[in-house]
Amino acid sequence: MTTLTTRVSRLGKPRKATYWVLAVFVLGSLFPFYWSFLVASRDNGMLTERVPPLLPGGNFFANAARVFDTVPFWKALANSVIVSGTVTLTTVLFSSLAGFAFAKLRFRGRNALFVFIVVTLAVPTQLGIIPLFIAMSKLGWAGGLQAVIVPNLVTAFGVFWMRQYTVDAVPYELIEAARVDGCSMIRIFWNVCLPAVRPAAAILAMFTFMMSWNDFLWPLVVLDVGNPTVQVALEKLQSGYYVDYSLVLAGTTLATIPILIVFLLLGRQIVAGIMQGAVKG
């Protein structure tokens, strides 16, 4: 028994080659961010050098100041924070509610409605831009942030994701025990379901924030020129005949910081969700 345990423990230990492979992948993933910061910290002339420098220069803050002088970047950052934060909160809340209903409640047409929601994932977003813009114009929302927020209050992917996680994470026994104790359905969701699906909700929040923050086409179509989001403002930095890539990548580096902050805030929940899935497997 001791010999078998020793062999299993030896097989379970990662080798040095595993760490080297992981290190290569991490460095490869970080290199685009480093290169963006490298160009943003110098002038546009470094791109024409035969041997580009590998160390940052001292022009990053000057280039960042030029970004704020060229486009309304502060307003774009505020707009993106409002849009992405609101969309993330509503998507997680409504998707958790719908996922709980589809996974644990019995009602007529449940399966057909869920299949319809999943089928909408196959419809390209570009097909709905024209009718959606007409609807926003008739409501008087075109040009305002509500035209970007309201169509994205909940997503089909979020409902599908939370439903699949809730099926296994919330046993029927817990729901029945809560009903015996006199809990209402909304209290069961809030006190039983939501704590159990918190890792999945954190992952959904991170992906939703990232997708909303990086959304470009719909804000470009529906928002006014003086009321942009970050991605629209970055597009304005490279819309001239001569593109200053140090300026563009300085704005890109600044626009990446909120995503990194969100990842750091939700990282613990994401790791907990991954580890929970590994233990179940």
Side-chain angles (χ1 to χ4, degrees):
M1 185 66 181
T2 305
T3 305
L4 180 60
T5 304
T6 305
R7 289 179 180 177
V8 172
S9 62
R10 287 178 179 176
L11 291 174
K13 292 181 179 179
R15 300 180 181 180
K16 291 183 178 180
T18 304
Y19 290 112
W20 281 109
V21 171
L22 291 175
V24 169
F25 276 102
V26 169
L27 292 176
S29 302
L30 293 178
F31 180 76
F33 297 102
Y34 180 74
W35 181 256
S36 298
F37 178 74
L38 187 67
V39 178
S41 64
R42 295 180 175 270
D43 54 28
N44 213 31
M46 71 157 288
L47 297 176
T48 61
E49 298 180 10
R50 176 174 294 182
V51 181
L54 297 178
L55 294 178
N59 297 335
F60 177 76
F61 292 103
N63 291 332
R66 286 199 299 137
V67 170
F68 290 101
D69 292 336
T70 305
V71 294
F73 206 73
W74 280 120
K75 189 171 186 178
L77 282 174
N79 288 343
S80 288
V81 169
I82 294 172
V83 171
S84 301
T86 305
V87 169
T88 299
L89 290 176
T90 57
T91 298
V92 171
L93 177 61
F94 293 150
S95 297
S96 300
L97 281 167
F100 173 69
F102 282 120
K104 298 300 176 181
L105 302 183
R106 306 291 184 184
F107 55 90
R108 182 176 299 177
R110 182 186 67 167
N111 295 332
L113 183 58
F114 181 71
V115 170
F116 175 77
I117 292 174
V118 173
V119 168
T120 60
L121 292 172
V123 179
T125 306
Q126 292 78 4
L127 290 180
I129 284 183
I130 294 177
L132 188 59
F133 181 81
I134 294 173
M136 294 298 108
S137 299
K138 289 185 176 180
L139 290 172
W141 292 353
L145 295 183
Q146 62 268 32
V148 182
I149 294 174
V150 174
N152 297 306
L153 289 178
V154 66
T155 61
F157 172 77
V159 175
F160 173 78
W161 171 264
M162 296 306 298
R163 186 264 179 191
Q164 297 302 106
Y165 192 89
T166 305
V167 168
D168 295 326
V170 183
Y172 278 104
E173 290 77 9
L174 286 178
I175 298 176
E176 294 300 328
R179 284 176 176 173
V180 170
D181 290 339
C183 291
S184 62
M185 192 56 62
I186 190 64
R187 188 175 178 184
I188 292 174
F189 166 77
W190 191 260
N191 293 333
V192 176
C193 176
L194 203 56
V197 302
R198 189 168 53 185
I203 296 175
L204 178 62
M206 189 193 71
F207 279 106
T208 303
F209 187 90
M210 251 178 19
M211 291 176 62
S212 181
W213 186 269
N214 294 327
D215 190 15
F216 171 72
L217 181 58
W218 178 238
L220 177 66
V221 171
V222 77
L223 291 180
D224 291 335
V225 177
N227 192 33
T229 56
V230 164
Q231 304 306 322
V232 178
L234 291 178
E235 189 272 337
K236 298 300 179 184
L237 290 177
Q238 51 185 333
S239 60
Y241 180 78
Y242 173 77
V243 180
D244 188 346
Y245 289 100
S246 62
L247 184 67
V248 174
L249 290 179
T252 304
T253 302
L254 293 173
T256 307
I257 294 175
I259 296 179
L260 296 178
I261 293 174
V262 170
F263 180 80
L264 292 175
L265 292 176
L266 300 177
R268 181 176 298 179
Q269 293 296 328
I270 294 171
V271 173
I274 294 174
M275 294 301 296
Q276 183 177 355
V279 171
K280 287 182 179 180

